[in-house]
Amino acid sequence: DFLSPVCIGEGANVSAEITYTSRHSVEVQVNVMSENILTGAKKVTNKATLWYVPLSLKNVNKVLEVPPIQYARKEQEDEGKKRYEEQKLDRLETKQRNGDVIFPVINPEPHTVGYSQSSLIHLVGPSDCTLLGFVHGGVTMKLMDEVAGIVAARHCKTNIVTASVDAINFHEKIKKGSVITISGRMTFTSNKSMEIEVFVDADPFVDEPRERYRAVSAFFTYVSLSKDGKPLPVPQLLTETEDEKRRFEEGKGRYL
């Protein structure tokens, strides 16, 4: 959640703590607080929950067990387990959508899905990767946010900002030397916000016979702003196909 901007010249304090562990995963909750150095005023600007899986250094395909943490209260463990089950279901649902592909549209009408959809192609280099040669999650997130921002700007033709990100799901690892295609499309609009689906497909071109596969997927929410930073109305998304109408209704359900 992007609650407030962090301005140039302000300090940013990023704090993180482990809040739940399952047998093979770790939940980490992160908060970002900005501080005006001159006035001392502080405010929470960002909140997020991230899930990590530990892998063996000798065999990157082997998932290791996680040492359990001690909870101050039994309720904390129960609440964490509930979040764990919810994110498992979300990952399963997004994985089932992985057959979707974005095709170019010739001469699309304004405010249709085809009008604003966008793609970016990126060659994964050493600076994008961990020591084991797999893409950093943060690198992928940044590229996805760029594509989602282009889709939002194309749709409303105004200044736009990220409001929230709904569960970036990393389905499979991406190796160094792969070519990734980041694709985004508008799925839903309310009066003041836009939901954009973004997914990443990987082509392992270097020493790898494997075909293209869906590696990452997520939903981004953007809002439209005036030059003064005030919210603007968002043009209604025009759905044309049955799939677009279905995705719009699904987005409406997430919004409500």
Side-chain angles (χ1 to χ4, degrees):
D1 290 318
F2 294 79
L3 306 174
S4 178
V6 181
C7 300
I8 295 173
E10 291 184 335
N13 177 37
V14 184
S15 59
E17 65 173 334
I18 294 175
T19 48
Y20 181 76
T21 57
S22 70
R23 185 180 178 188
H24 293 121
S25 63
V26 179
E27 179 192 60
V28 181
Q29 294 196 4
V30 183
N31 290 291
V32 182
M33 178 173 288
S34 69
E35 178 183 358
N36 186 308
I37 305 299
L38 300 180
T39 65
K42 298 179 181 180
K43 59 184 176 182
V44 177
T45 60
N46 301 79
K47 290 184 176 182
T49 301
L50 299 93
W51 288 89
Y52 287 86
V53 175
L55 302 178
S56 169
L57 293 175
K58 297 181 180 179
N59 179 5
V60 293
N61 293 316
K62 181 180 179 181
V63 179
L64 302 178
E65 290 195 11
V66 176
I69 64 172
Q70 298 296 321
Y71 300 96
R73 295 178 292 106
K74 181 64 167 58
E75 291 79 7
Q76 291 177 330
E77 183 177 8
D78 295 339
E79 292 167 358
K81 186 174 182 180
K82 182 179 178 181
R83 293 191 299 270
Y84 170 73
E85 296 297 338
E86 288 175 348
Q87 65 90 21
K88 278 182 63 177
L89 285 176
D90 180 74
R91 285 176 58 82
L92 180 61
E93 289 176 3
T94 56
K95 201 166 186 177
Q96 291 173 346
R97 299 167 61 97
N98 283 352
D100 290 356
V101 179
I102 291 179
F103 295 103
V105 178
I106 306 300
N107 298 322
E109 293 293 324
H111 304 144
T112 60
V113 175
Y115 183 77
S116 60
Q117 67 183 27
S118 304
S119 295
L120 181 153
I121 298 175
H122 178 76
L123 173 64
V124 176
S127 61
D128 299 324
C129 298
T130 66
L131 295 176
L132 295 178
F134 296 103
V135 176
H136 280 289
V139 170
T140 310
M141 293 179 193
K142 181 178 183 297
L143 293 172
M144 295 174 78
D145 192 36
E146 287 181 6
V147 170
I150 292 171
V151 174
R154 279 180 167 174
H155 180 78
C156 59
K157 304 296 185 183
T158 63
N159 180 38
I160 46 86
V161 293
T162 311
S164 65
V165 184
D166 182 12
I168 296 181
N169 287 298
F170 295 85
H171 305 293
E172 296 196 44
K173 298 185 290 294
I174 303 173
K175 289 184 178 181
K176 180 178 67 177
S178 297
V179 173
I180 56 175
T181 302
I182 305 97
S183 304
R185 63 186 172 195
M186 192 80 64
T187 51
F188 171 76
T189 54
S190 67
N191 291 332
K192 293 185 178 180
S193 66
M194 299 161 276
E195 181 191 73
I196 298 146
E197 182 181 23
V198 183
F199 42 81
V200 180
D201 295 319
D203 285 300
F205 281 172
V206 179
D207 298 330
E208 191 76 47
R210 185 180 182 184
E211 296 181 353
R212 173 182 287 207
Y213 61 93
R214 180 64 44 82
V216 192
S217 59
F219 289 97
F220 288 73
T221 299
Y222 275 76
V223 293
S224 174
L225 298 178
S226 67
K227 293 181 179 179
D228 299 326
K230 296 181 179 179
L232 291 174
V234 172
Q236 181 73 13
L237 178 66
L238 302 179
T239 55
E240 299 175 302
T241 69
E242 290 303 317
D243 283 341
E244 290 173 359
K245 293 175 182 178
R246 172 182 55 80
R247 288 194 293 268
F248 186 92
E249 290 301 317
E250 291 173 351
K252 186 178 180 179
R254 287 186 289 270
Y255 174 75
L256 296 176

